[in-house]
Amino acid sequence: MKADLALPLWAQTTHILTMLTIIMRKCKQLKHAGLVVVTLVLSLSLPGCALLRPMVMPTSPQDSWPTPSELGYSLQAQQVLGLTYQGQTHKMSVALEVSAQKMTLVAISAVGVPIAIINWDGEHLDKQSPTGMDLNAIPFELIMDTIFYAYWPQPSLADMLKQQQWTMTATAQQRSLYNHQQQSQIDIRFNQYQRPNGSIAITDYRTGLDIALTTIQWITTK
C-alpha cells in the first residue's frame, strides 16, 4: 500500500524551506568552529536581513547514521511538522518512506507540491528539489538526525552516540540524550505517534528549537 504524498491544504502555514532559501540568498551564511549557522525566519512582516535571528546548528554525525534496514520494518508515514523557535511556530507537511534499501524524506508545500526530496541508502545522501530550491542552505542532515533518534532502535544508534560522546535513556514514552557531562541535549516524547493525530514532541536544548510531529497516516510492513 503506497502513501499518497498529496496531503491536504494547510492554510495559514509558512513555506519554511522556501523562505529559508530566499533569505539565505540575500544574507551571507556564517560558519564558525565547525558549526553551521543557519538562519530561521521567525517574522515575515519585516524586510530584509534585519528580521533574521540566527540559530546555531551543530554538525551532524552523518558518518555514523544507521542504515534504512536497521529500522527493522518498512514504513510509510505522513505527518505535519511544526517548528517553534522563540515563541513563533511554522508548519509544513512531510512524508517519510523507509524500505530495506532506502529512506526518503519529502517536504511538501502548502499546495501539496514536493519541494525537497532527501534520499539515504545507508552510504550516500542525495538531496533534490523539484522546484529548484538551494538545498545547501538548509540543514537537512540535522532533520535526519532527529528522525533517527526518534524512530530507529536504540542499538542501531550506538555509532551516532559514540561519535557525539552522548548517552541515551529510553522508555516507551520518551528518549533523552545527554552529552559526556550529562547535560540534556535532546528530549523526545511520544504520544501514540503511530496512530492518526498521535504526536512526537522534540526539544533540542542546543538550539532552543521545539519540533512537533503530528501523524496523519502511519503504515508499517515487515
Side-chain angles (χ1 to χ4, degrees), residues 92-216:
M92 63 181 300
S93 301
V94 293
L96 176 65
E97 184 168 355
V98 184
S99 68
Q101 293 75 35
K102 184 173 66 173
M103 168 185 176
T104 300
L105 177 68
V106 181
I108 304 168
S109 75
V111 294
V113 176
I115 56 177
I117 301 174
I118 314 301
N119 290 299
W120 168 248
D121 65 3
E123 294 183 0
H124 303 101
L125 180 68
D126 178 63
K127 299 184 288 186
Q128 300 180 23
S129 173
T131 59
M133 290 175 54
D134 179 9
L135 298 181
N136 291 325
I138 302 168
F140 280 109
E141 291 82 358
L142 297 179
I143 296 173
M144 298 281 280
D145 288 348
T146 302
I147 291 173
F148 290 130
Y149 284 135
Y151 296 152
W152 262 246
Q154 188 173 359
S156 69
L157 303 174
D159 288 342
M160 285 183 70
L161 295 171
K162 181 179 179 180
Q163 181 172 334
Q164 294 186 290
Q165 296 184 313
W166 285 7
T167 57
M168 172 188 283
T169 61
T171 67
Q173 291 77 37
Q174 184 168 342
R175 288 184 172 186
S176 298
L177 296 153
Y178 304 90
N179 66 11
H180 65 284
Q181 296 177 324
Q182 288 302 300
Q183 297 170 326
S184 295
Q185 302 299 294
I186 300 174
D187 271 335
I188 304 169
R189 299 171 297 282
F190 304 102
N191 180 22
Q192 298 182 327
Y193 68 94
Q194 297 181 350
R195 299 181 180 181
N197 297 317
S199 63
I200 299 177
I202 301 166
T203 300
D204 190 328
Y205 296 105
R206 303 167 301 169
T207 62
L209 180 67
D210 289 313
I211 302 171
L213 285 162
T214 303
T215 300
I216 299 171

Side-chain angles (χ1 to χ4, degrees), residues 4-174:
D4 182 5
L5 297 185
L7 301 182
L9 299 181
W10 291 97
Q12 302 178 356
T13 60
T14 303
H15 296 189
I16 188 169
L17 298 182
T18 303
M19 294 308 301
L20 277 168
T21 300
I22 293 171
I23 296 299
M24 290 305 293
R25 286 172 179 170
K26 294 181 180 179
C27 303
K28 185 177 180 180
Q29 186 174 5
L30 304 177
K31 294 184 179 180
H32 177 68
L35 298 182
V36 179
V37 180
V38 180
T39 304
L40 179 66
V41 179
L42 296 178
S43 173
L44 302 180
S45 61
L46 300 177
C49 295
L51 64 90
L52 301 180
R53 302 176 188 178
M55 181 191 301
V56 178
M57 304 299 286
T59 303
S60 166
Q62 181 182 339
D63 293 343
S64 302
W65 281 353
T67 64
S69 63
E70 288 180 283
L71 179 62
Y73 54 88
S74 296
L75 171 65
Q76 294 170 344
Q78 299 177 23
Q79 295 171 303
V80 178
L81 172 66
L83 302 174
T84 300
Y85 183 62
Q86 295 187 350
Q88 297 197 33
T89 299
H90 303 273
K91 293 183 179 180
M92 63 181 300
S93 301
V94 293
L96 176 65
E97 184 168 355
V98 184
S99 68
Q101 293 75 35
K102 184 173 66 173
M103 168 185 176
T104 300
L105 177 68
V106 181
I108 304 168
S109 75
V111 294
V113 176
I115 56 177
I117 301 174
I118 314 301
N119 290 299
W120 168 248
D121 65 3
E123 294 183 0
H124 303 101
L125 180 68
D126 178 63
K127 299 184 288 186
Q128 300 180 23
S129 173
T131 59
M133 290 175 54
D134 179 9
L135 298 181
N136 291 325
I138 302 168
F140 280 109
E141 291 82 358
L142 297 179
I143 296 173
M144 298 281 280
D145 288 348
T146 302
I147 291 173
F148 290 130
Y149 284 135
Y151 296 152
W152 262 246
Q154 188 173 359
S156 69
L157 303 174
D159 288 342
M160 285 183 70
L161 295 171
K162 181 179 179 180
Q163 181 172 334
Q164 294 186 290
Q165 296 184 313
W166 285 7
T167 57
M168 172 188 283
T169 61
T171 67
Q173 291 77 37
Q174 184 168 342

